[in-house]
Amino acid sequence: MGKLIKNHWARLIILTAAAYQVAAAMEGFFWPKVFWDFATKNFDGAVKPVPILQLINLLFGLFIFAWEWPLGIVTRLTLHRSIEARLIVYPLSALLALLLYQGTNAGLYYFIGMGVYFWAFSEGETVCPMPWTLPRRVASSKA
């Protein structure tokens, strides 16, 4: 039986989170609401009258979607192959998604995806240069 390639699984989870984040940002333009408004009204300035939080969520969601899909330009960058960079950027994106009321699902998916990426990183997996390909096997000599 085959082995689970955890970075591919994490990529699918993060793609789902990015799609949810973009949808939440678009919905936030029509119904602006901060998730933590039951505790304090201090964050209301981030969503209305100028939709700053929605714009930042939209940009982060599109950037991460382009990074994980990935676009052709992104595959040539070393950023595409770095699990460490993902583990640095995704907590910020999860925090931004969790601040927006509509983005709580995206934030939770980011945390799950980060856990799977950390699992892949701890087992020494690498992201292949070409997206959705399998790592090359090292030829082993049997003695």
Side-chain angles (χ1 to χ4, degrees):
M1 215 153 108
K3 223 178 132 174
L4 174 66
I5 301 174
K6 286 167 264 329
N7 69 57
H8 284 194
W9 182 35
R11 177 177 284 160
L12 292 172
I13 294 169
I14 297 292
L15 277 170
T16 304
Y20 268 95
Q21 188 175 21
V22 169
M26 297 301 288
E27 187 177 335
F29 285 118
F30 299 105
W31 297 284
K33 185 171 171 82
V34 174
F35 182 70
W36 304 102
D37 68 346
F38 60 86
T40 179
K41 300 287 184 195
N42 291 338
F43 297 124
D44 284 351
V47 293
K48 53 186 174 184
V50 180
I52 297 168
L53 189 59
Q54 293 94 316
L55 285 173
I56 294 172
N57 270 297
L58 181 64
L59 292 175
F60 264 81
L62 291 174
F63 168 73
I64 289 173
F65 203 81
W67 189 5
E68 287 292 349
W69 185 257
L71 290 178
I73 299 166
V74 178
T75 57
R76 293 187 282 271
L77 301 174
T78 57
L79 184 68
H80 165 66
R81 299 194 61 199
S82 174
I83 293 178
E84 296 91 344
R86 287 174 165 89
L87 290 174
I88 292 170
V89 172
Y90 293 158
L92 178 62
S93 187
L95 173 68
L96 289 170
L98 286 172
L99 285 175
L100 195 62
Y101 177 75
Q102 294 88 348
T104 52
N105 286 346
L108 295 175
Y109 286 152
Y110 275 124
F111 281 120
I112 295 168
M114 284 185 293
V116 176
Y117 263 128
F118 184 75
W119 184 16
F121 176 72
S122 65
E123 289 192 358
E125 284 191 17
T126 58
V127 178
C128 297
M130 288 302 297
W132 305 112
T133 57
L134 298 175
R136 302 270 185 223
R137 289 188 175 202
V138 178
S140 62
S141 61
K142 293 183 180 180

